[in-house]
Every structure is written in structure tokens, then in C-alpha cells.
Amino acid sequence: MVAILLSLTDLAIYGVLRVYGVRSIRWSRIVRPIFLINFAESRQIRRAFRSIRNTLPEITYVFLLFMFSLLMFSLMALKLFGERNLQTAEGLPYFRNYLEIVFDLYVLVTTANSPDVMMPAFDFSSWYALFFIAFVIVNTYIFMSLFLAVVYNNYKKHLKNEIRKLAYMKRRKMIEAFNLLKEEEGEQLVVREARWKQLVKLVAPDISNSHRELLLRISDNEQKGFVDKKSFVQLADLLNIQVVTLKLRSHPLARWVPRVYGSAASRLLRGLVRHRAFVWTYDAIILINAIFIALDEETPYISYAEWVFLALYVTEILLKVYTYEPRAFFGKTQFWNWFDTLIIFAALTATILNATLKSTTKYNSQQILDIVFILRVLRLIRIVDSIQRFRVIMNTLINIVPTMLTFGGLTLVVYCVFAIIGMELFHGKIQFFPADSNAPHALECGNPALKDSLFARGKYCKNNFNDFASSFIVLMELTVVNQWHVFANGFANVTVQPAKLYFIAFHIVMVIIIVNIFVSFILEAFFVEYSLEKSEVETAIEQKIQELGMGVQEDELQDEQLLDNMESDEHELEGEGGTKPQPKGLVFKIASKRYRTVDALLQRMFEAEIPLEDEGPSLEEILNLSPSAAIPRNPNSESVA
């Protein structure tokens, strides 16, 4: 509402001034990106802004101390070098203006002007290098690391506080639901099985009857016909765990040609394909293929070798389809199987098409060759999943994709704000001209103030704020940090020297705060993923599902009750060696951890610390929880039956 009111006020003022021919600045444009934050779908972006807001007080203290250090070193530099009549490589006075010294040393903190800023003093005396070494150690390594530490500590603290509120809120709501549905069973308060089923059908209508019965077996382990309070509170966790249902099917060849498929030779072949050595062999083939990809394609033997590798890869896919049931092999969750098959057959198709075009026409077919090369290189990605430590990194990358989108939205908002300000300040000050242009001052980006400047000599004229797209490119280059002082000096030369504050402000907001928050999330995501891979942290609920959900015979399911006919190995979907007859049924298993969000994993880890009998604090206390507060307990908690 504030943003809308400001925009309407600015529009009215601008319209009145325009009538009288007075040019004014549309100052309300900088609040427009706020509308991006307030979309209903932008909840995660608002959460990221809350993290920044909560982190700012702690960052402020470190930033003030950093600025004090910067100002002190700048004063020392003025006293050390100001009276020695030193000059820069461009012939300009060296360290004689205090504000210029502050800016140059701030740039040195980002290492963008190192070692150029040191060279005039270093040429005068080698001892002066000690001043710059001390400055870099204190400000670049210590203070910038402190910024990351403070941001990470506060981010983690506030993230855990939000997750703690959610966990307690969920626990509280589940207890309220139990109190509405409870009935007396002797001395216990319970929820009857019929009412429990009715509830689950209502809140999770899409799950199958078998899946529902599996959850009931976990909640009513002794099959008493009711669910106690302790088990009922776990219902939300049960429903939140993604359970993959696999249908037990025999291989089509076992039905069509049972004697051939069940022969000794067939069993031996399938046993070899299932063996770990088969995977290792093809990993070695992929590595050898990588060496051949790097070699000269024009060599005939290298070209022929590619056909050999393609034949080996196609053979691998055919052997796997022969060994494993095709519908299970190409299931929804079998990402790598789909990836392998698509890449191999796409590469085979492109290679055949390229060879055909070369033999029948004079067409160069370079684009098809490029596609072939890319597909070959993509095939090497498959080996990443074979190494456990690589999987940790890959899982982290997969898990942080949603958060990367959140920080992408956050970056978009910040970029929009600074792009709008930049266009108001610098629009039209710098122009780009083609290399053969005869326009006046074309070599100086259309502005004589840039004559002999690093900006003009570096041919940075296309980096300007004349439109939104160009502004975004400039801001991206500033985020990378390299040469950002050249941009700052260039735009300051065509306007006023205080314009450098715009670039310093962008560096503080984007690089010091937002990038560090993103790095903090990457660290937390990696720690969570690493701990889960290393210690196999799992809740008791997931462990119970793994124990019970291994092969439910659906055609023997009577009155929606589960039978004790669960298999011992979830991967043996067609019986040992393919000869054991396996009736049609289902296999339940927990979905892969790699497809869970980091927030869900953090919530699960925190909830594991809360005893099931703990109802938690009152609703008012939950909403008022602070990051530094100890976990409150409800002294009036009911004991769990």
C-alpha cells in the first residue's frame, strides 16, 4: 500500500510539473520492485529479505569496525605517501587526496586494483610493501571473513528459529486434532481405526489403499483397532514422507519365452549385469572415452573408436533392459536410466546423420558436429553418480535448486532497484559507437571527459546505463567485482566524483550481504547433506517404513488389511536369478534423499530433537519465539498414553 501511494503521489507531481515544462525525476520507480516481493508466490523471497533484515544489526557493528580500520589505514597512507610527490602509471598524483585514498583502499579490499595501487610506493621503497600486506591481511582476509561468519551465524540462527516455530506449530495442531477426534478406550484416549481412515482419506485422497494400510500398520503396530495419541501426532510426518510404490512385475521375456529367459546362460548373463563389476567396467570405458574425446577428431582411428564406444553404450542399455523389468527400469524416479538412454541414442542418431551428410553432400554439418561433441561430453556426467563423495556434492546442488531460484528472485529485485537508480543518474552520459564510426569523441564513448581514461582505453563504452538490459549487464559485471573501480571512475568522470558511492553501495548490498547469505545457505545445505550421507540420519518413522514397506501382495489384500508377506530385499523385483516365481504385488520404499529440499531436511533434523511426548509451548509463546530464546516447555503437557 505504501508503494502504491508513493507511486500515485510521484505520478501526480510528475504530471503537474510536465504541464509546466519542468523536468523531474521519477523517484518512485525504485519502489516498483517491491511489487515483485508481494506476489503470493514470492513467499521465499520475502523470507530471504527477512534474513537480511535480521542480519543487518550484527553486520552493522562489523561494518563500522571495518570502516574505522579503512579510515585509519587511509590516514596512514596519506601521511606516508602524500608528501613524496609520487605519481601513478597514468601520471596522476598518488595518494594526495584523502577521499581518493579511501576509495582506492576500499577497492584494494576487493583485490580489483591489486597490485597496481601498490606499485608507485613499492617502486619508491620495497619496505612500503609491508603497509599494503598488513592492509590486505586485516581488511581483506580478516574483516571479509568476519562478514561471512556473522552472516552465516545469524542466517543459521534465524533459519532454525523459523523452522522451530513451524515444528512446534505443527505439533500443536496435531494435538488439537487428536483432542477433537479422541474417544475413550479403557484408561486410554485414542482415535478409532475407522475415524483414522476417514481422516486420512480426507486429507490425502490421492494415496492408494495399500499405502494407507501401510501407514495404519505403522500407527497401529499391534493392530488393536485404534491409534493412540503418540502415534496420531506422527501422522503429519508419515504423510510428508514421500513413499515410492513399485509394482512387482515379471519380465515380459519371462512370460513370452520362459525357457530361454530362465536358462542357465540367461541367468549367468543377468547375474553379470547386476554385479558391481559391470558398473565399474563401464565407468572405466567412460574414462577412456573421455581421453578419446579430447584427441583429434580428424584422425581416422579416433573417428572409428567413437563408433566402438557408441556400440558399447548401446549394448549396455540393451543388457540392462534385458536384465531388469523395462517399466521398472524406466520408472519415473529412474533419472540416470532415462538420462543414459536419451544421451546415447541422441548421440547415435546425430553421429549417423553427420556421417550420412558427409558422405552424400558437401555440407559442412558443423552444427551437427557440435551437437555430437556436446552429447559425448554429457555422457561423462554419468560417472559422477558412481562416486559417493561426488554424490554428496550432486545431491547438494539438486537440493539447493529451489533456493537458487529464491536468491535469483532476490537478486532480480536488487538489480531492478539499482538499475533504475543507475539509469536516472547515468542515462546518456556514455555512448557506444561501432569501431568504424567517425562520430566526434567516438573513442571516448561520446564524452570528452573520458579522454585517456582506463574506461575508454579498455573499450568499455557498451557498459552503460542507457537501457534496462545494459544496466543489468553492468550490474552483473560489478557483482563479479573484477575491474569495478574502472567503471566507478569512468561514470564519476562523466558526472561527479560522489557518484562512486553508488558503486560502493551496490558492492556492500550485493557482494557483502546477499552473496554472503547465499554462501551461508550453500554451507548449511552441504553440512546437512554431508551429515545425512555420512551418518544416515533418519527419523524413527522412516526406519519403520523401511522395515515394513517391502512388498505388499495386493491381490491377497483382504478387507484392506496388510499380510505379512514382505520381501527382504526391495531391489529383487523379479526373484533370485529370475527363476523364482514372483506374484504380482507392490514394493514400498522411501524416496531418494536427493529430491528433498534442504528446509525439509532441517525441519526433520530439528523435529528429531523434540520428544514425542512434548506438546511444546503455547501458541502465543510459539509466535513470540526469538532466535536466542531457549526452547520453552509446556509445564502442563499431558502425558502420552
Side-chain angles (χ1 to χ4, degrees):
M1 291 302 297
V2 171
I4 291 173
L5 290 174
L6 288 175
S7 298
L8 291 175
T9 303
D10 179 38
L11 186 62
I13 295 173
Y14 180 81
V16 171
L17 294 177
R18 185 70 180 268
V19 170
Y20 291 97
V22 179
R23 184 184 181 277
S24 64
I25 296 176
R26 295 294 307 278
W27 49 266
S28 70
R29 286 175 176 170
I30 61 173
V31 302
R32 290 179 185 175
I34 293 176
F35 299 130
L36 294 175
I37 305 171
N38 284 300
F39 288 145
E41 294 79 8
S42 302
R43 180 174 58 87
Q44 294 296 337
I45 298 179
R46 291 195 294 275
R47 181 177 172 183
F49 270 103
R50 282 201 305 273
S51 296
I52 294 175
R53 184 190 65 200
N54 294 329
T55 306
L56 279 179
E58 295 294 334
I59 290 182
T60 302
Y61 292 115
V62 180
F63 184 75
L64 291 175
L65 192 57
F66 163 72
M67 288 304 300
F68 176 77
S69 171
L70 179 65
L71 295 174
M72 289 295 294
F73 271 98
S74 299
L75 188 59
M76 285 189 283
L78 180 64
K79 297 302 179 183
L80 281 174
F81 312 120
E83 302 299 328
R84 302 191 183 278
N85 295 321
L86 301 178
Q87 292 184 335
T88 65
E90 293 80 25
L92 301 175
Y94 180 74
F95 278 14
R96 297 183 195 175
N97 182 287
Y98 182 68
L99 294 179
E100 289 289 339
I101 296 172
V102 172
F103 176 75
D104 287 338
L105 291 184
Y106 183 86
V107 174
L108 180 59
V109 173
T110 69
T111 70
N113 61 352
S114 178
D116 297 351
V117 71
M118 181 185 76
M119 294 313 298
F122 185 52
D123 291 340
F124 184 80
S125 173
S126 299
W127 290 103
Y128 285 141
L130 297 176
F131 170 84
F132 294 95
I133 293 172
F135 177 84
V136 169
I137 291 174
V138 171
N139 294 279
T140 302
Y141 293 113
I142 295 179
F143 273 108
M144 291 300 108
S145 299
L146 274 177
F147 275 121
L148 177 58
V150 169
V151 169
Y152 175 67
N153 183 60
N154 281 272
Y155 170 80
K156 184 176 181 179
K157 182 170 62 176
H158 291 287
L159 175 63
K160 186 169 183 178
N161 186 56
E162 287 196 21
I163 291 173
R164 183 171 56 170
K165 287 181 180 180
L166 292 174
Y168 274 128
M169 187 73 74
K170 182 173 70 174
R171 178 70 58 86
R172 197 80 192 166
K173 293 295 184 183
M174 290 304 300
I175 292 172
E176 289 180 14
F178 178 83
N179 291 334
L180 291 173
L181 300 173
K182 65 186 178 183
E183 299 178 23
E184 288 190 8
E185 176 68 28
E187 297 180 355
Q188 289 182 314
L189 294 175
V190 299
V191 175
R192 298 286 179 190
E193 180 181 309
R195 183 165 287 189
W196 186 94
K197 288 182 178 179
Q198 184 181 3
L199 174 66
V200 174
K201 284 182 180 179
L202 182 65
V203 299
D206 296 330
I207 66 174
S208 64
N209 290 336
S210 300
H211 186 181
R212 191 180 305 115
E213 290 299 324
L214 176 65
L215 300 184
L216 179 59
R217 270 290 295 273
I218 298 166
S219 300
D220 182 14
N221 193 31
E222 298 179 5
Q223 294 182 291
K224 296 178 180 179
F226 57 80
V227 176
D228 60 21
K229 183 178 180 180
K230 179 179 179 180
S231 299
F232 185 86
V233 170
Q234 299 178 19
L235 178 58
D237 298 319
L238 282 171
L239 294 174
N240 279 332
I241 296 171
Q242 185 182 359
V243 178
V244 177
T245 304
L246 301 176
K247 289 186 178 180
L248 294 175
R249 303 185 182 98
S250 60
H251 199 286
L253 293 177
R255 298 192 301 269
W256 299 338
V257 283
R259 295 184 61 182
V260 175
Y261 195 72
S263 65
S266 176
R267 292 199 304 271
L268 176 62
L269 178 61
R270 284 180 280 135
L272 291 174
V273 174
R274 288 195 185 95
H275 199 277
R276 186 64 183 167
F278 184 81
V279 178
W280 293 340
T281 300
Y282 267 91
D283 286 346
I285 291 174
I286 292 172
L287 291 176
I288 296 171
N289 190 193
I291 297 173
F292 275 79
I293 289 174
L295 298 177
D296 186 8
E297 174 70 17
E298 298 300 324
T299 305
Y301 293 109
I302 303 299
S303 180
Y304 297 149
E306 182 56 32
W307 288 100
V308 175
F309 285 117
L310 280 173
L312 289 172
Y313 295 148
V314 171
T315 303
E316 177 196 16
I317 295 297
L318 294 177
L319 286 174
K320 286 183 176 180
V321 172
Y322 178 80
T323 301
Y324 303 106
E325 203 280 323
R327 284 174 291 185
F329 184 75
F330 291 111
K332 292 186 209 177
T333 59
Q334 302 301 321
F335 169 78
W336 286 113
N337 294 342
W338 280 102
F339 179 83
D340 271 356
T341 305
L342 292 175
I343 290 297
I344 290 168
F345 282 98
L348 179 63
T349 303
T351 304
I352 293 174
L353 182 60
N354 180 62
T356 304
L357 289 174
K358 275 187 174 181
S359 61
T360 58
T361 66
K362 295 182 180 181
Y363 175 61
N364 188 20
S365 66
Q366 185 60 43
Q367 291 181 341
I368 298 179
L369 275 176
D370 293 341
I371 295 173
V372 171
F373 291 146
I374 291 172
L375 291 173
R376 290 176 189 170
V377 174
L378 286 177
R379 183 63 179 79
L380 306 180
I381 297 175
R382 178 62 183 85
I383 201 172
V384 171
D385 199 55
S386 302
I387 302 174
Q388 183 180 4
R389 291 306 170 197
F390 284 177
R391 281 202 301 270
V392 174
I393 300 172
M394 290 297 293
N395 291 351
T396 304
L397 292 176
I398 292 171
N399 285 333
I400 66 175
V401 167
T403 304
M404 289 181 69
L405 296 177
T406 298
F407 280 94
L410 180 63
T411 301
L412 176 65
V413 172
V414 175
Y415 273 29
C416 283
V417 171
F418 277 91
I420 291 169
I421 297 174
M423 286 190 291
E424 292 290 351
L425 294 175
F426 308 118
H427 184 272
K429 302 294 183 182
I430 291 175
Q431 301 290 335
F432 170 74
F433 298 93
D436 57 350
S437 174
N438 295 322
H441 306 295
L443 297 177
E444 293 85 26
C445 307
N447 198 314
L450 292 175
K451 185 177 181 180
D452 298 327
S453 67
L454 288 175
F455 191 95
R457 291 207 301 269
K459 300 185 184 297
Y460 292 159
C461 304
K462 209 166 187 177
N463 296 298
N464 54 59
F465 287 91
N466 295 342
D467 55 68
F468 219 67
S470 298
S471 302
F472 264 62
I473 293 172
V474 172
L475 294 175
M476 182 63 204
E477 291 168 334
L478 294 176
T479 305
V480 177
V481 173
N482 191 36
Q483 295 289 79
W484 74 274
H485 62 294
V486 176
F487 287 71
N489 285 320
F491 284 100
N493 288 341
V494 298
T495 52
V496 291
Q497 289 302 310
K500 294 177 182 177
L501 294 174
Y502 167 85
F503 298 90
I504 295 175
F506 179 80
H507 180 268
I508 293 171
V509 172
M510 192 66 213
V511 179
I512 293 182
I513 298 178
I514 294 180
V515 170
N516 276 331
I517 286 181
F518 183 66
V519 172
S520 300
F521 184 85
I522 298 292
L523 291 173
E524 189 65 15
F526 181 79
F527 291 153
V528 171
E529 190 64 44
Y530 184 84
S531 63
L532 286 171
E533 282 286 328
K534 191 172 184 179
S535 61
E536 293 297 327
V537 178
E538 291 183 333
T539 63
I541 300 165
E542 289 177 311
Q543 291 172 355
K544 192 67 175 177
I545 288 180
Q546 288 179 326
E547 292 171 9
L548 298 178
M550 288 299 181
V552 184
Q553 300 303 322
E554 188 151 66
D555 44 6
E556 294 183 26
L557 205 62
Q558 298 174 357
D559 298 326
E560 295 187 337
Q561 296 298 316
L562 295 182
L563 302 179
D564 296 324
N565 54 2
M566 298 180 179
E567 296 296 321
S568 60
D569 188 352
E570 64 183 23
H571 300 294
E572 295 293 332
L573 297 182
E574 56 169 325
E576 186 176 351
T579 59
K580 178 182 176 181
Q582 178 66 46
K584 183 180 179 181
L586 296 175
V587 167
F588 294 101
K589 69 174 185 176
I590 303 298
S592 172
K593 296 185 192 70
R594 72 176 61 196
Y595 302 110
R596 302 175 188 175
T597 64
V598 175
D599 283 1
L601 295 174
L602 288 171
Q603 183 170 341
R604 191 191 71 179
M605 293 177 69
F606 176 72
E607 286 180 327
E609 302 172 5
I610 306 176
L612 286 171
E613 65 272 10
D614 180 15
E615 293 187 8
S618 65
L619 183 61
E620 184 179 353
E621 288 176 319
I622 292 172
L623 296 176
N624 292 326
L625 280 177
S626 66
S628 57
I631 298 176
R633 301 294 183 197
N634 190 344
N636 299 319
S637 304
E638 293 184 45
S639 61
V640 177

